[in-house]
Amino acid sequence: MEDPQLVSGSTNPWLGRQLSRVLVWGERGFSAVLERGLVSISNFVLNVFLARWLLTADYGTFAVVYSAFLLLATLHGGFLEEPLLVFGSGRYTNDKSRYLGTVLNGQRLFVAGLSTILVAGALAGFLFPHPTATALLGLAIAAPFILYRELGRTATYMILNPRLAVFAAALYMGLMLPGVFFVYRAGWLSSAMAFLLMGLASLISALWLFHRLGPTRVPIRNNPLTRDVLSDHWTYGRWAAATGILVWIPGQIYYFALSLSVDLNATAQLRVATTLIMPASAALSAISTLFVPALVRLRSRDYFRRLLVAGMALFMLLAALYWLILGLFSQPILLWLYGERYVDVGPVIWIVGLVPILAGSVTVLGPALRALERPDLVFRAHALSSIATVTIGLALMKVYGIEGAAFGMVAASATTALTMVWFLFVGRGKQAHFASHRTET
C-alpha cells in the first residue's frame, strides 16, 4: 500500500514548491540551451560551408567583416538588449508590453544609423578597391534584421519564456541552411550572399517572434515612459556598451591583426579553430542570459554566493569535458568538416578550447554583477582583459602567429574571470550585495 505522504503534495507543501521550482527552471534552462544551440548550429554549419566552398582568403574576408559587425553590435547589446533584461525584470516588470514597445522605437533608430555606417564603409571599399567592399554592402542590408531578431530573443528571456525563442531559432535554421545550400548549387555563394541569407532568415523569424510577444506601440515624443527608458538605458547602457567593446577586443581583434600582419589565410585558419568551440560558447551565452533575471530576483537571499560557486563549478566542469573531447578528436573532426585544407589547425584547438572553461565561471559571475546593477565592475574586469590582449596577446601573436593569438585569448579570459571573482567575493561587488540585502530585506 502506498504511503499517502508520497502521493499527497499537501502533506509537504515546502517540498512540493521546491520540486515545482526546480522543474520550471530546469525547463527554462533546457529551452535556453536549445535555443542557443539551434542558432549556434546554424551559424556553425554556415561557417563550415563557407570554409569548404569559398577560397581561404574569401573566407578570411567573411571573418573580418563579421567581426566588424560584432563590434558595432556591441552597442546594440549594451544600450538595448542587456538593459532590457535587467529593467524588464525589475522596475518595468509591471508594464513590460509598453516598455518593450518603447525599446523597439530606440532599436529602429539605432539600426538606421548602423546601416548608414556600413554603407559608407562599403562605398569607401569600392572607391579605394578593397576585398571587403561587397561583403560590407551585404551586411549593411542584413544587419538591421539580424539585430531585430536578437532583440526579440532577448525579450523572451525578459518574460522568462525562452520557448518562444526556441521556435524562432528553429525557423531561422530551417530557412538559412537550405538557402546556403541552394545558392551554392546555383553558383552564387559569397560572403555577401551569406550575410543576405542571415538577414532574410532573421527577418522572418523576428516577425513571428514579435507577433507572439505583442509589444504595445508607443509614441516617441511627448511620452514620459520614453524619457524614463532613455534615461535608464543610458545610465546602464554606457557601461554595458563600453564593456561590450572591451569583450570584443580579446575575442575578435586577432582576425584584424592577422589579416594585416600575416594574411587573410591566417585569419581563416584562426576562425576555423574558434568555430569548433562555438557550440560550448553558445550554450554558456544562453545560460548567462537566463541567469540575469533569475539573479535579480535572488540577489537579496543569503544563499546568493553559494549559488554562484555551485554554478561556476558546474559550468567549468562541463566546458572541460567538451575541451577534452574536442582536443582528442580534433584531427578526424577537421578532416570530416573541412577536408585536408585545415588539418594543421589541430594544435590551435587545444589552446582555444581552454577559453570556454574560463568562460564557464564568467557565465555566472558576469550576470551576478549585472543583477547587482554593477555594470561598472563588469566594465573594469573586461578593461583589464583588453589591456592583457593589446599587450601580452598581440605580442604573442607577433612572435608565434596563430598559436600566439590563441594563447592571447586564453590569457584574456583568465584575466576576466579572476577579476570578477575578486569583485564579487572580496571587493566592491561583495559590498554591493550586502547593501542590496539590507535594503530589500
Side-chain angles (χ1 to χ4, degrees):
M1 186 173 179
E2 291 182 311
D3 187 341
Q5 290 187 347
L6 298 179
V7 296
S8 174
S10 62
T11 59
N12 196 337
W14 180 87
L15 180 61
R17 288 195 301 270
Q18 296 304 312
L19 179 59
S20 176
R21 184 176 300 173
V22 168
L23 292 175
V24 168
W25 282 102
E27 186 272 336
R28 289 171 179 167
F30 174 78
S31 296
V33 173
L34 179 59
E35 183 267 332
R36 281 289 85 182
L38 291 172
V39 175
S40 178
I41 290 171
S42 301
N43 293 332
F44 175 84
V45 174
L46 173 65
N47 276 273
V48 171
F49 284 169
L50 294 178
R52 285 181 67 97
W53 296 335
L54 296 178
L55 296 175
T56 304
D58 292 338
Y59 181 55
T61 298
F62 173 83
V64 169
V65 173
Y66 189 70
S67 294
F69 164 68
L70 292 179
L71 175 60
L72 296 173
T74 57
L75 301 177
H76 184 272
F79 284 110
L80 295 169
E81 295 173 40
E82 192 174 313
L84 183 73
L85 276 178
V86 174
F87 297 123
S89 305
R91 63 190 61 179
Y92 297 108
T93 189
N94 294 322
D95 197 11
K96 289 181 178 178
S97 181
R98 293 181 67 245
Y99 171 59
L100 180 57
T102 303
V103 174
L104 272 173
N105 288 336
Q107 200 261 356
R108 295 185 184 101
L109 295 175
F110 176 89
V111 297
L114 175 63
S115 289
T116 300
I117 294 173
L118 291 172
V119 168
L123 291 177
F126 286 120
L127 290 174
F128 306 96
H130 195 274
T132 60
T134 305
L136 278 173
L137 185 59
L139 180 60
I141 298 171
F145 308 132
I146 297 173
L147 295 177
Y148 187 41
R149 178 179 59 81
E150 283 297 310
L151 187 69
R153 68 163 292 274
T154 303
T156 67
Y157 289 91
M158 176 190 71
I159 64 174
L160 294 178
N161 188 8
R163 285 178 294 179
L164 293 177
V166 171
F167 288 112
L171 181 58
Y172 174 81
M173 173 187 284
L175 293 169
M176 201 263 289
L177 293 185
V180 173
F181 185 75
F182 172 78
V183 298
Y184 166 69
R185 293 300 298 268
W188 303 335
L189 185 61
S190 65
S191 55
M193 182 60 69
F195 287 123
L196 291 175
L197 287 171
M198 294 171 66
L200 178 61
S202 295
L203 173 61
I204 295 173
S205 61
L207 289 173
W208 177 87
L209 196 54
F210 278 102
H211 174 72
R212 295 298 303 271
L213 288 168
T216 300
R217 290 183 176 271
V218 295
I220 297 178
R221 298 179 180 179
N222 302 319
N223 180 17
L225 181 60
T226 298
R227 292 193 294 268
D228 291 341
V229 171
L230 180 62
S231 175
D232 289 335
H233 278 234
W234 169 252
T235 301
Y236 185 100
R238 59 187 179 181
W239 288 106
T243 300
I245 294 173
L246 295 178
V247 171
W248 178 90
I249 291 175
Q252 303 294 325
I253 197 172
Y254 296 107
Y255 300 121
F256 287 91
L258 284 171
S259 68
L260 295 174
S261 65
V262 186
D263 55 29
L264 287 169
N265 294 327
T267 301
Q269 291 174 334
L270 181 62
R271 180 67 180 182
V272 164
T274 54
T275 294
L276 293 181
I277 67 171
M278 186 184 295
S281 299
L284 292 173
S285 175
I287 296 171
S288 177
T289 305
L290 187 66
F291 262 170
V292 174
L295 291 176
V296 167
R297 292 167 171 81
L298 297 174
R299 60 188 173 185
S300 64
R301 306 294 179 87
D302 292 331
Y303 53 81
F304 183 81
R305 295 188 188 284
R306 294 196 298 272
L307 178 64
L308 299 186
V309 173
M312 287 170 54
L314 175 62
F315 298 132
M316 292 181 74
L317 176 61
L318 293 175
L321 291 174
Y322 183 86
W323 166 74
L324 185 62
I325 294 171
L326 187 62
L328 290 174
F329 298 99
S330 60
Q331 289 301 315
I333 290 172
L334 287 169
L335 284 170
W336 178 58
L337 292 176
Y338 306 105
E340 297 185 355
R341 183 181 295 184
Y342 296 102
V343 290
D344 295 336
V345 178
V348 182
I349 293 174
W350 277 108
I351 305 171
V352 297
L354 295 170
V355 172
I357 300 176
L358 298 164
S361 62
V362 178
T363 296
V364 179
L365 299 172
L369 289 171
R370 293 182 178 96
L372 295 173
E373 298 189 18
R374 294 306 306 267
D376 56 318
L377 298 184
V378 180
F379 171 85
R380 291 168 190 174
H382 287 291
L384 291 176
S385 175
S386 295
I387 292 172
T389 297
V390 299
T391 54
I392 299 172
L394 291 181
L396 288 171
M397 186 207 73
K398 187 68 175 178
V399 177
Y400 299 106
I402 300 173
E403 290 83 359
F407 276 119
M409 291 180 176
V410 175
S413 296
T415 301
T416 303
L418 291 174
T419 306
M420 287 185 175
V421 167
W422 172 266
F423 283 148
L424 273 166
F425 293 93
V426 182
R428 300 180 182 181
K430 181 178 181 180
Q431 298 170 7
H433 170 254
F434 286 134
S436 175
H437 178 73
R438 287 193 297 269
T439 300
E440 296 184 31
T441 56

